[in-house]
């Protein structure tokens, strides 16, 4: 870390949250992103001050290039490239808010954010699930005679059929589901954006079967269930979704995967069916088609099939 006194980076009288750069930045994030980025900022603040500060007690406006360059080096030594870049993104955004709030001048701001991101290996993360694997997952849920079986079938039907994120599926309410239009209203997704997604008729039927058990009282669409089978009308956690998916994968004999791989499968399958990338982007809630393209896990076969469609008007000679 730089030799500048740690004391000079500590806010002795923290400003109100409306003009605190970290608070202003975090206030525009969704709940899940806010937790992640707040944790990142806490770690950066702690590194800069030997554990004395957190995101709200560090004077972000006092940071200069020597601080940000040192933080980048420290993060590279401690975290994977993707994690480091995420934390550096949070740092840049807070410094931008400090500049917007006129707590930093243009020159200090430009120098402080003039550090490179970390190169990330191009190997794709995650995978797409095959139709056989999805069928196996659904089968072990349906064959489970307990209440958890039909609940988990509905969970998988939504994750696979609508391509929603873990944080989005646990935030769905009963009122967000429409059997008439086979739709779900995703509220407060990534970036605080709302969007409408759709389920197939078969996936809608699975959710309807769950509602026969859950009932039609207002509240969370998917709920925890006690060991005795009692449905609790409250939200599940994102961690619970992860544990459910892992459990069903083990029983079904499906190779390890993450809940986010349902999302990758959703995008890949729609693209493979010929759906234009802009439509897939809107359904997935991505900011740009470029982000959607990163979720494509179809491999080489679609490219081979696409090239076969190109006509060069040539009749092969007899051999």
């Amino acid at each position: 870390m730089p030799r500048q006194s740690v004391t000079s980076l500590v806010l002795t009288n923290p400003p109100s949250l409306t003009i605190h750069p970290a608070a202003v930045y975090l206030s525009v994030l969704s709940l899940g992103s806010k937790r992640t980025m707040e944790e990142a900022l806490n770690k950066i603040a702690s590194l800069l001050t030997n554990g004395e500060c957190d995101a709200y007690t560090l004077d972000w406006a006092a940071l200069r290039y020597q601080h940000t360059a040192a933080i980048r080096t420290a993060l590279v030594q401690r975290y994977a490239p993707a994690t480091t870049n995420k934390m550096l993104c949070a740092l840049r955004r807070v410094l931008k808010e400090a500049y917007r709030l006129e707590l930093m001048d243009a020159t200090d701001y430009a120098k402080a954010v003039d550090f490179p991101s970390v190169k990330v290996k191009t190997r794709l993360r995650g995978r797409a699930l095959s139709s056989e694997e999805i069928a196996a997952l659904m089968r072990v849920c349906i064959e489970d005679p307990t209440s958890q079986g039909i609940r988990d079938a509905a969970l998988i039907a939504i994750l696979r059929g609508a391509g929603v994120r873990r944080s989005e599926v646990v935030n769905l309410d009963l009122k967000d589901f429409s059997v008439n239009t086979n739709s779900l209203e995703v509220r407060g997704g990534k970036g605080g954006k709302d969007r409408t997604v759709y389920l197939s008729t078969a996936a809608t039927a699975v959710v309807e079967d769950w509602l026969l058990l859950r009932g039609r009282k207002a509240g969370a669409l998917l709920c925890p269930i006690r060991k005795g089978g009692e449905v609790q009308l409250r939200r599940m956690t994102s961690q619970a979704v992860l544990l459910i998916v892992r459990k069903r994968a083990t029983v079904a004999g499906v190779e390890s995967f993450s809940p986010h791989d349902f999302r990758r499968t959703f995008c890949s399958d729609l693209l493979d069916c010929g759906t234009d990338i802009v439509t897939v982007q809107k359904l997935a809630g991505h900011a740009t088609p470029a982000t959607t393209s990163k979720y494509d896990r179809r491999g080489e076969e679609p490219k081979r099939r696409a090239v076969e469609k190109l006509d060069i008007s040539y009749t092969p000679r007899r051999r």
Side-chain angles (χ1 to χ4, degrees):
M1 292 295 103
R3 293 183 179 179
Q4 179 179 345
S5 172
V6 168
T7 305
S8 66
L9 299 179
V10 180
L11 283 173
T12 53
N13 294 302
S16 68
L17 296 183
T18 57
I19 57 172
H20 190 298
V24 172
Y25 161 57
L26 293 171
S27 69
V28 302
L29 302 180
S30 64
L31 184 60
S33 296
K34 181 178 180 180
R35 283 195 295 262
T36 300
M37 292 311 202
E38 185 174 11
E39 181 181 358
L41 293 176
N42 283 334
K43 289 177 179 177
I44 290 172
S46 179
L47 284 171
L48 279 167
T49 60
N50 297 321
E52 188 172 341
C53 287
D54 62 13
Y56 297 97
T57 56
L58 181 76
D59 186 359
W60 296 96
L63 299 189
R64 299 295 180 261
Y65 175 74
Q66 64 265 31
H67 300 110
T68 57
I71 275 296
R72 181 187 182 279
T73 300
L75 295 179
V76 166
Q77 294 172 348
R78 289 169 170 79
Y79 303 103
T83 302
T84 297
N85 283 334
K86 183 183 295 184
M87 297 175 76
L88 291 176
C89 175
L91 175 59
R92 287 192 184 95
R93 290 289 300 276
V94 171
L95 293 177
K96 186 173 185 178
E97 294 300 339
Y99 169 63
R100 285 174 167 174
L101 293 166
E102 299 183 350
L103 302 174
M104 295 180 76
D105 65 36
T107 300
D108 288 337
Y109 166 69
K111 290 180 179 179
V113 297
D114 188 22
F115 55 85
S117 297
V118 181
K119 290 185 178 180
V120 181
K121 294 180 180 179
T122 57
R123 182 176 178 270
L124 295 176
R125 296 177 60 188
R127 69 182 184 91
L129 281 75
S130 68
S131 57
E132 291 78 14
E133 288 177 317
I134 293 170
L137 290 167
M138 291 297 294
R139 185 165 55 251
V140 298
C141 293
I142 294 170
E143 291 176 352
D144 183 346
T146 67
S147 302
Q148 284 87 347
I150 188 59
R151 190 271 316 275
D152 293 355
L155 170 65
I156 291 173
I158 294 172
L159 289 172
R160 188 273 182 274
V164 295
R165 302 174 178 91
R166 265 198 290 167
S167 59
E168 294 171 341
V169 76
V170 297
N171 282 330
L172 290 171
D173 288 328
L174 177 64
K175 65 181 181 181
D176 297 326
F177 171 64
S178 172
V179 68
N180 295 324
T181 57
N182 290 4
S183 65
L184 290 165
E185 296 298 324
V186 178
R187 306 179 192 278
K190 193 170 184 178
K193 297 178 180 178
D194 299 342
R195 72 183 188 280
T196 302
V197 296
Y198 298 91
L199 297 172
S200 66
T201 302
T204 298
V206 178
V207 178
E208 280 282 276
D209 285 346
W210 155 244
L211 292 180
L212 291 176
L213 177 65
R214 177 202 177 280
R216 298 281 177 169
K217 290 185 179 180
L221 180 61
L222 298 168
C223 312
I225 300 174
R226 291 186 180 274
K227 289 184 178 180
E230 178 191 353
V231 176
Q232 298 180 292
L233 290 179
R234 58 182 177 84
R235 297 197 188 286
M236 298 170 61
T237 64
S238 293
Q239 181 66 14
V241 173
L242 175 62
L243 295 176
I244 289 168
V245 168
R246 284 178 175 173
K247 171 186 174 182
R248 296 302 178 180
T250 300
V251 176
V254 172
E255 181 185 345
S256 177
F257 69 96
S258 73
H260 209 74
D261 285 334
F262 280 120
R263 188 166 165 79
R264 296 183 175 99
T265 306
F266 172 79
C267 293
S268 296
D269 286 354
L270 286 179
L271 292 169
D272 203 25
C273 290
T275 308
D276 67 273
I277 195 167
V278 174
T279 299
V280 181
Q281 171 208 340
K282 292 178 179 178
L283 288 170
H286 289 147
T288 66
T291 303
T292 306
S293 68
K294 295 177 182 178
Y295 278 66
D296 189 354
R297 297 294 186 275
R298 293 175 292 171
E300 296 300 311
E301 183 59 21
K303 290 188 281 186
R304 187 195 66 79
R305 292 201 307 265
V307 171
E308 283 293 333
K309 297 176 183 178
L310 301 178
D311 181 21
I312 59 172
S313 300
Y314 176 73
T315 303
R317 296 179 183 180
R318 293 183 179 179
R319 299 182 185 275

